[in-house]
Amino acid sequence: MGSQVSVDVGSMHVVIVGGGFGGIAAASQLQALSVPFTLVDMKDSFHHNVAALRASVESGFAKKTFISYSETFKDNFRQAMVVGIDLKNQMVQLKGGEALSFSHLILATGSTGPFPGKFNQVSSQQAAIQAYEDLVKQVQSSLFIVVVGGGSAGVEMAAEIKTEYPQKEVTLIHSQAVLADKELLPCVRQEVKEILLRKGVQLLLSERVSNLEELPVNVCRDYIKVQTDKGTEVATNLVILCSGIKINSSAYRSAFESRLVSNGALRVNEYLQVEGYSNIYAIGDCADVKEPKMAYHAGLHANIVTTNIVNSMKQRPLKAYKPGALTFLLSMGRNDGVGQISGFYVGRLMVRLVKSRDLFVSTSWKTMKQSPP
């Protein structure tokens, strides 16, 4: 990838819906190949949400996690909300009535979930950064903190708080008996538990918060009572929710009703084409691929899709996507971590070196061809 495409691109216009990890990887590659494209996102900046949890505890870190789209992609970026896809006329419909025509469409809508792990709302870079700085103040003001959800986001959140503020009492409540993602090796999941216990995190496992709807989240209070289905009560100052990730399907749901799986992801073939469409692709979280939803995988999908769009124009064979052995690194604060690379366990030293210190922030600035602040 990198040299310009020597085909007639006059009739070509790729629209990318969603500027997450997959979206910016696809846009960067199309830009390098001089293929006409438009990237659409409701925010004005890419959010490097892999580092969102550290930005919630460390003042000044959030500004490293938001990177302007227009500075990188110039007029090829549109800040807008996509409200539908007109398949018959090959148009992406924007809120406000405008539409973008496409020869090829890449759906990269990602997933949504509670703040601070995700930040999915119409916003400016400045307002987004401020939202994280405000949460840092709430964390600093709280002596007792409850984290709800013990998947990868929850365990990383609890570890980040205890690393930055060891004196705070942190309780992690998880509805399952084992922490972190089920795709991980059992020894990795066990080490996650050991790290949290070493850091002094209180664990409430196999218990579900029963009064979640009534609880104020991300706001420090003098007294909040968290109750579980087992009758446990935890008094706290702050509740941070790290569960309930959902596929962002609102942009395409009505157009592809028959191509959706139960969680809202799109059925795709081995070339990541949406079932029944040769010019429409899905990448990242919104593609129904049997692998964990991760930024790393979204980038791999983008490579395949941009190659296939170019190959289809040159009448060359398409490239298939083959999920590999799982690489999954959990940063447990800047000084700790655990994970697996290609299915093999890796410990603290490797994870610290690869992920924990920088959380891949510099990689995203490089992809966007900008210098971090």
Side-chain angles (χ1 to χ4, degrees), residues 64-79:
K64 300 176 190 173
T65 67
F66 288 94
I67 312 172
S68 163
Y69 290 122
S70 55
E71 200 166 312
T72 300
F73 302 119
K74 310 292 189 282
D75 294 341
N76 294 324
F77 170 68
R78 285 293 308 277
Q79 184 177 4

Side-chain angles (χ1 to χ4, degrees), residues 2 25 28 30 42 52 110 117 163 214 237 277 303 305 334 360 370:
S28 298
L30 292 172
M42 61 181 169
T163 301
E214 306 151 29
N237 303 125
Y277 297 89
N303 296 345
V305 166
R334 74 176 68 76
F360 305 124
Q370 295 182 43

Side-chain angles (χ1 to χ4, degrees), residues 164-185:
E164 193 72 12
Y165 310 104
Q167 75 284 6
K168 295 188 187 297
E169 291 278 340
V170 178
T171 302
L172 176 67
I173 305 177
H174 187 43
S175 58
Q176 309 293 314
V178 187
L179 293 164
D181 298 58
K182 63 181 186 296
E183 295 90 353
L184 286 162
L185 295 166

Side-chain angles (χ1 to χ4, degrees), residues 2 18 63 150 157 216 235 279 292 345:
K63 65 178 180 289
M157 182 81 254
N279 66 328
Y345 175 94

